[in-house]
Every structure is written in C-alpha cells, then in structure tokens.
Amino acid sequence: MKKYLKLMRIHHYLKNGLIFFPLIFGGQLFRIDLLIKTVYGFLGFSLFASVIYIINDIHDVEGDRMHAVKCKRPIASGAVSIRSAWILMFLLLGPSVIFNYLACGTN
C-alpha cells in the first residue's frame, strides 16, 4: 500500500491546500456550501494530480531508472509494475472527475 501512496505522491497534496486560501482570506471559510465545494475541489485536484504523476512516471520509466534519485520511484525501482500503475491511474481518474464535477458543476 505504501508504494502506491508514494506513486501517487500524496506528500504533494499539502500544496493543493492553497485552494482554501480564497475562503480563508475572503472571510468565507465558515460558509458550509463553499467549504464543501472547496473540499470537493481539493480532492478532485489532488487525485487528478496523482493521475498525471502516474502517467509521467510510466512515460519516463526508462530515463528514471538511469537517474540517481528518480530510480527510487516505485515504477522505476520495480516496486510497482506498469500494469498496476495503469490500473491505479484509471481507478483515480473516475473519482477525480466526480469530485471536480461536484466542485464546479456545469457552470
């Protein structure tokens, strides 16, 4: 499980918290409707970022294997197979689209 979380780059989700800044600085943090939409946006954006990270790691696997640092990434190191990475990517894509739709709707 840990290798999949590393592949998703969960540690980068912290910076996605910037999406809450407009609510905080606009004095709207306690408007539940906006907070819920922002949480959906955070989840959708974070999951979609993971999708992009996975696609990038699959695409760059050969180069990453030769890199001093990137060779430790889950796909490059062989901890996660390319097939498993594709499956995870597709599993994350659906919820990402749903959360982004809930955040933005069709507006």
Side-chain angles (χ1 to χ4, degrees):
M1 182 64 159
K2 187 176 180 181
K3 60 188 175 186
Y4 294 106
L5 295 176
K6 186 175 179 183
L7 176 62
M8 291 171 60
R9 297 201 180 90
I10 297 288
H11 61 282
H12 286 281
Y13 286 13
L14 182 61
K15 66 184 171 196
N16 298 342
L18 293 172
I19 198 170
F20 291 96
F21 278 21
L23 288 182
I24 294 167
F25 294 116
Q28 301 293 314
L29 186 60
F30 298 107
R31 279 206 39 203
I32 299 301
D33 59 326
L34 294 178
L35 183 59
I36 290 171
K37 283 187 171 219
T38 305
V39 168
Y40 287 149
F42 172 81
L43 292 171
F45 182 71
S46 296
L47 292 176
F48 194 73
S50 289
V51 167
I52 299 302
Y53 287 132
I54 293 169
I55 291 170
N56 180 65
D57 284 355
I58 291 169
H59 183 266
D60 294 342
V61 67
E62 293 305 321
D64 288 352
R65 286 183 176 147
M66 293 184 238
H67 191 275
V69 176
K70 294 178 182 179
C71 68
K72 296 175 183 153
R73 290 181 176 170
I75 297 174
S77 71
V80 173
S81 71
I82 291 176
R83 183 174 188 265
S84 295
W86 277 114
I87 291 169
L88 178 60
M89 188 275 304
F90 281 111
L91 289 173
L92 296 175
L93 188 58
S96 170
V97 170
I98 291 168
F99 282 129
N100 280 306
Y101 178 79
L102 291 172
C104 301
T106 57
N107 299 340

